[in-house]
């Protein structure tokens, strides 16, 4: 099995989980998502059980109270615990049980802005995790979470902070070290409508600046690291489309109040844009669904669908960027299968495209 190359932090909502569920099995092995859970119910556990084989997500329940229903080992689906430095001793014991029951590893999420302490205090916090969870550093993936990086000033502030934390990480034999940040602004409803708006991917720029450290890449998908008020009841059709170093945000109110026609017009504009991939519908499941709407063979869907299609394209785009060109020999060329799902890495031959 290939080692994961991309660790996105995603909300555990229907849209994000649907995008993960449509990953090709081979592509799924290259992802190690961290799901941020704000509520636990049977639908969440059911959706986790539908994820592709080989995709074992980490689960962060740090915002939930210590209770039997939040003990991951009770959920009955394979997951990796995502552990915070401030987790209680009781929760650390429960996370350790989940780690031993499933993947025999854990993710330690170190928040660059919130977990502010010196290197010795951070080491003490990590040792407390290993002691109560009965883990060793070699079983733990370190996730350095830089939080919001949405402008040049935040980029300049984040880089030295992250470098100090990565330097500290070298004291210990972590399984992997990944840096994640969120570059999507917390609000979009003030952006112009009926025209694509380009937004820089500052999170991607941060990772490129850290290339000399040899750390893995993570982000918040197409969502902000700190969700904001995107306008109460705002249901303007919206697609957040990832391209080279930027997002193109499409918010459409054109053609009156008919949602299907507005979204079809949005998608027709998108599929004729220069950043629409050469593989078209074959690039990802999300691109396949967007092209169907451009051709008016399906309805506009809902905000959850728009998030799912945007996230699906984003995951495929980031994976393709990370494995090419330096890792092409290891993973094979990035392709796309006939269902329009994110491409399956395979060796040799030309890149297949869906017809």
């Amino acid at each position: 099995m290939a080692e994961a190359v991309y660790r996105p932090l995603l909300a555990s909502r229907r849209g994000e989980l649907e995008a993960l569920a449509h990953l090709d099995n081979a592509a799924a092995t290259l992802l190690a998502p961290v799901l941020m859970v704000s509520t636990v119910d049977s639908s969440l556990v059911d959706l986790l059980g539908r994820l592709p084989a080989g995709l074992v997500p980490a689960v962060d329940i740090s915002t939930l109270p210590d209770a039997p229903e939040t003990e991951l080992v009770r959920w009955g689906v394979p997951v990796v615990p995502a552990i915070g430095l401030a987790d209680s001793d009781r929760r650390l014991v429960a996370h350790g049980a989940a780690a031993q029951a499933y993947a025999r590893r854990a993710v330690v999420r170190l928040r660059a802005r919130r977990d502010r302490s010196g290197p010795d205090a951070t080491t003490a916090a990590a040792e407390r995790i290993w002691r109560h969870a009965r883990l060793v550093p070699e079983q733990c993936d370190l996730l350095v979470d830089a939080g919001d990086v949405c402008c040049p000033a935040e980029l300049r502030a984040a880089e030295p902070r992250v470098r100090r934390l990565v330097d500290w990480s070298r004291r210990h034999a972590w399984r992997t070290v990944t840096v994640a940040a969120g570059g999507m602004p917390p609000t979009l409803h003030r952006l112009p409508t009926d025209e694509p708006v380009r937004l820089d991917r500052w999170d991607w720029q941060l990772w490129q600046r850290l290339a000399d450290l040899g750390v893995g890449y993570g982000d918040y998908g197409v969502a902000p690291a700190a969700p904001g008020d995107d306008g109460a009841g705002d249901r303007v059709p919206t697609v957040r489309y990832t391209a080279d170093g930027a997002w193109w945000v499409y918010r459409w109110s054109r053609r009156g109040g008919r949602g299907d026609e507005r979204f079809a017009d949005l998608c027709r504009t998108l599929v004729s844009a220069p950043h629409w991939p050469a593989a078209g519908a074959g690039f990802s499941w999300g691109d396949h669904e967007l092209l169907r709407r451009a051709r008016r063979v399906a309805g506009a869907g809902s905000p959850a669908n728009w998030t799912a299609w945007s996230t699906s394209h984003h995951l495929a785009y980031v994976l393709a960027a990370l494995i090419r060109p330096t890792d092409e020999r290891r993973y094979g060329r990035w392709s796309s299968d006939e269902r329009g799902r994110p491409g399956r890495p395979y060796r040799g031959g030309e890149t297949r495209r869906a017809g």
Side-chain angles (χ1 to χ4, degrees), residues 36-57:
M36 297 171 289
V37 176
S38 57
T39 183
V40 178
D41 53 33
S42 58
S43 63
L44 170 62
V45 177
D46 180 61
L47 289 169
L48 290 176
R50 298 181 186 180
L51 295 181
L55 182 65
V56 181

Side-chain angles (χ1 to χ4, degrees), residues 136-160:
V136 294
E138 291 86 350
Q139 292 176 286
C140 297
D141 298 288
L142 178 65
L143 176 61
V144 178
D145 183 357
D148 278 311
V149 181
C150 297
C151 66
E154 290 181 344
L155 176 63
R156 289 192 297 269
E159 182 180 355

Side-chain angles (χ1 to χ4, degrees), residues 186-207:
T187 58
L188 296 179
H189 66 277
R190 294 186 179 89
L191 294 180
T193 59
D194 302 326
E195 62 181 87
V197 178
R198 186 185 186 280
L199 299 177
D200 285 314
R201 291 173 58 201
W202 299 106
D203 51 342
W204 182 253
Q205 290 191 35
L206 173 64
W207 184 71

Side-chain angles (χ1 to χ4, degrees), residues 87-106:
D87 283 350
S88 69
D89 293 351
R90 180 182 184 277
R91 174 155 286 170
L92 294 179
V93 171
H95 279 336
Q100 298 303 326
Y102 298 123
R104 301 188 67 81
R105 58 187 175 85

Side-chain angles (χ1 to χ4, degrees), residues 240-258:
R240 309 172 193 215
Y241 202 76
T242 308
D244 186 15
W247 288 288
W248 289 93
V249 179
Y250 290 72
R251 288 175 48 75
W252 238 242
S253 60
R254 188 181 297 171
R255 297 185 183 275
R258 293 186 58 189

Side-chain angles (χ1 to χ4, degrees), residues 5-345:
V5 298
Y6 175 31
R7 195 178 298 276
L9 289 87
L10 303 174
S12 57
R13 298 173 299 199
R14 182 169 67 88
E16 286 84 351
L17 290 171
E18 187 176 5
L20 291 174
H22 281 87
L23 285 169
D24 177 89
N25 286 343
T29 63
L30 303 178
L31 263 74
V34 177
L35 300 178
M36 297 171 289
V37 176
S38 57
T39 183
V40 178
D41 53 33
S42 58
S43 63
L44 170 62
V45 177
D46 180 61
L47 289 169
L48 290 176
R50 298 181 186 180
L51 295 181
L55 182 65
V56 181
V59 174
D60 187 331
I61 56 171
S62 59
T63 62
L64 300 179
D66 287 353
E69 59 269 21
T70 62
E71 294 180 6
L72 302 180
V73 75
R74 295 173 179 258
W75 292 12
V77 291
V79 293
V80 173
I83 303 175
L85 268 62
D87 283 350
S88 69
D89 293 351
R90 180 182 184 277
R91 174 155 286 170
L92 294 179
V93 171
H95 279 336
Q100 298 303 326
Y102 298 123
R104 301 188 67 81
R105 58 187 175 85
V107 173
V108 175
R109 185 179 177 191
L110 175 55
R111 302 188 182 211
R113 292 186 177 183
R114 296 188 185 182
D115 301 322
R116 294 183 176 180
S117 58
D120 292 340
T122 305
T123 294
E127 290 174 344
R128 184 180 71 91
I129 290 172
W130 300 325
R131 183 170 63 255
H132 288 285
R134 296 186 177 181
L135 296 168
V136 294
E138 291 86 350
Q139 292 176 286
C140 297
D141 298 288
L142 178 65
L143 176 61
V144 178
D145 183 357
D148 278 311
V149 181
C150 297
C151 66
E154 290 181 344
L155 176 63
R156 289 192 297 269
E159 182 180 355
R161 184 184 304 129
V162 170
R163 283 186 177 276
R164 287 193 295 270
L165 291 172
V166 173
D167 184 63
W168 164 82
S169 74
R170 296 189 174 121
R171 293 185 175 191
H172 310 285
W174 299 98
R175 182 174 178 271
T176 64
V177 177
T178 298
V179 172
M184 182 67 70
T187 58
L188 296 179
H189 66 277
R190 294 186 179 89
L191 294 180
T193 59
D194 302 326
E195 62 181 87
V197 178
R198 186 185 186 280
L199 299 177
D200 285 314
R201 291 173 58 201
W202 299 106
D203 51 342
W204 182 253
Q205 290 191 35
L206 173 64
W207 184 71
Q208 289 180 315
R209 289 190 178 203
L210 302 172
D212 60 296
L213 300 180
V215 294
Y217 175 74
D219 60 24
Y220 278 77
V222 298
D229 177 16
D230 228 1
D234 181 20
R235 291 180 62 86
V236 175
T238 302
V239 170
R240 309 172 193 215
Y241 202 76
T242 308
D244 186 15
W247 288 288
W248 289 93
V249 179
Y250 290 72
R251 288 175 48 75
W252 238 242
S253 60
R254 188 181 297 171
R255 297 185 183 275
R258 293 186 58 189
D260 286 2
E261 182 56 39
R262 282 192 294 167
F263 198 73
D265 191 63
L266 182 161
C267 292
R268 284 193 294 268
T269 305
L270 171 58
V271 301
S272 63
H275 43 264
W276 178 252
F283 188 75
S284 75
W285 166 75
D287 289 288
H288 175 75
E289 295 301 313
L290 291 167
L291 185 60
R292 293 183 68 215
R293 272 72 192 173
R295 294 175 175 173
R296 294 299 305 274
V297 296
S302 66
N305 295 133
W306 307 334
T307 296
W309 302 331
S310 299
T311 301
S312 173
H313 169 79
H314 178 83
L315 297 177
Y317 191 93
V318 172
L319 275 176
L322 290 174
I323 69 172
R324 289 194 314 233
T326 57
D327 289 335
E328 193 167 275
R329 291 183 180 179
R330 178 179 178 186
Y331 294 107
R333 187 171 297 211
W334 193 250
S335 68
S336 55
D337 68 14
E338 292 77 10
R339 296 165 294 177
R341 297 183 179 180
R344 179 189 299 276

